[in-house]
Amino acid sequence: AAELEYESVLCVKPDVNVYRIPPRTSNRGYRASDWKLDHPDWTGRLRVTSKGKTAYIKLEDKVSGELFAQAPIDQYPGIAVETVADSSRYFVIRIQDGTGRSAFIGIGFTDRGDAFDFNVSLQDHFKWVKQETEISKESQEADTRPKLDLGFKEGQTIKLNIGNMTSKKGGAAKPRVSGSGGLSLLPPPPGGKIAVPPIPPPSSTAIANHVTPPPVQKSSNASSADILLDLDAPAAASKAPVSATTDLWGDFSTAPSAVPNQAPQQSNWVQF
């Protein structure tokens, strides 16, 4: 698995100063004011890389890229990288060679933004390492737990209750009543009656459109008879017999015929 791991670059800063620091005589933190800040012992380029879960701080030559020293980091914050008590631009790192020897040196950045990027790159890497560790731990615990068997045992069956199908008691489901509009209506309760919707009262518009005929004034003069009485006159005349004197067609029936030797014919006119 180690052979498959590849090295990735987390941060690159072109200017970094290296200082020899005096040994710490007490438990208090390092102080950059104790160093010779105006006269750094070495100046070059800093690269932060990672390979697997381990990060590396590499100090390299600016021109040739030759490695000057490197500090492997397994934990941050930790003993491999420490901040100073009086500044945010200086750090103390523990460098190691291939033989296992180690030493503590001080590094510093001229720009405060470079120091911030250096610090954040280490924090992000070890935050990712922590998440990977938790995920792998959860997966191992899941493998050790007994697996839940959700399969059917021999002879085991289940029942599904779906609408419009036979229920558990064997009775058929009641069909739904569909209305004229395509909507499903519930059937009326047993013993109940469907109420007939009441007839709406006539609207005010229909009442307003109804015209009442004006009353007819009756006059005492017999010559000005009621119009309605004149309309009823033919019906009354059809019931009463008409006398010969009032027959309007009498003159035509008594007139002499213009055709000679022709017997007078009976009139087919119906008297009204």
Side-chain angles (χ1 to χ4, degrees), residues 154-198:
E154 184 177 358
Q156 184 180 4
T157 59
I158 60 174
K159 292 183 179 180
L160 299 178
N161 187 10
I162 305 176
N164 296 331
M165 294 186 67
T166 305
S167 59
K168 289 184 178 180
K169 296 181 179 180
K174 295 181 180 180
R176 295 182 179 179
V177 181
S178 299
S180 59
L183 299 177
S184 297
L185 301 178
L186 295 176
K193 296 182 179 180
I194 300 176
V196 180

Side-chain angles (χ1 to χ4, degrees), residues 90-149:
Y90 297 91
F91 302 87
V92 176
I93 64 175
R94 183 184 62 183
I95 60 175
Q96 293 180 353
D97 58 4
T99 61
R101 294 182 301 176
S102 61
F104 290 92
I105 62 174
I107 61 173
F109 300 93
T110 305
D111 189 0
R112 195 176 301 275
D114 293 342
F116 177 80
D117 295 340
F118 169 75
N119 190 17
V120 169
S121 63
L122 293 176
Q123 289 179 354
D124 291 343
H125 171 72
F126 286 98
K127 186 183 297 183
W128 170 80
V129 171
K130 183 178 179 181
Q131 293 177 354
E132 288 293 323
T133 304
E134 292 177 354
I135 293 173
S136 61
K137 184 178 179 181
E138 292 178 357
S139 61
Q140 291 177 359
E141 292 178 354
D143 294 338
T144 57
R145 295 173 185 173
K147 295 183 179 180
L148 183 62
D149 187 9

Side-chain angles (χ1 to χ4, degrees), residues 13 15-21 30 32 35 37 40-48 57-59 68-69 71 73 80-84 87-95 104-110 114-115 118-119 122:
K13 294 302 174 183
D15 295 320
V16 63
N17 298 324
V18 176
Y19 305 91
R20 290 181 181 179
I21 59 176
Y30 292 99
W35 307 344
L37 300 179
D41 296 298
W42 184 85
T43 302
R45 180 181 65 187
L46 178 141
R47 282 198 313 143
V48 180
I57 300 175
K58 296 184 178 183
L59 302 175
F68 172 74
I73 305 171
V81 179
E82 298 182 42
T83 59
V84 298
S87 178
S88 61
R89 296 186 293 115
Y90 297 91
F91 302 87
V92 176
I93 64 175
R94 183 184 62 183
I95 60 175
F104 290 92
I105 62 174
I107 61 173
F109 300 93
T110 305
D114 293 342
F118 169 75
N119 190 17
L122 293 176

Side-chain angles (χ1 to χ4, degrees), residues 216-227 229-230:
V216 179
Q217 297 180 0
K218 296 182 179 181
S219 175
S220 58
N221 190 6
S223 62
S224 58
D226 192 0
I227 299 175
L229 297 177
D230 295 339

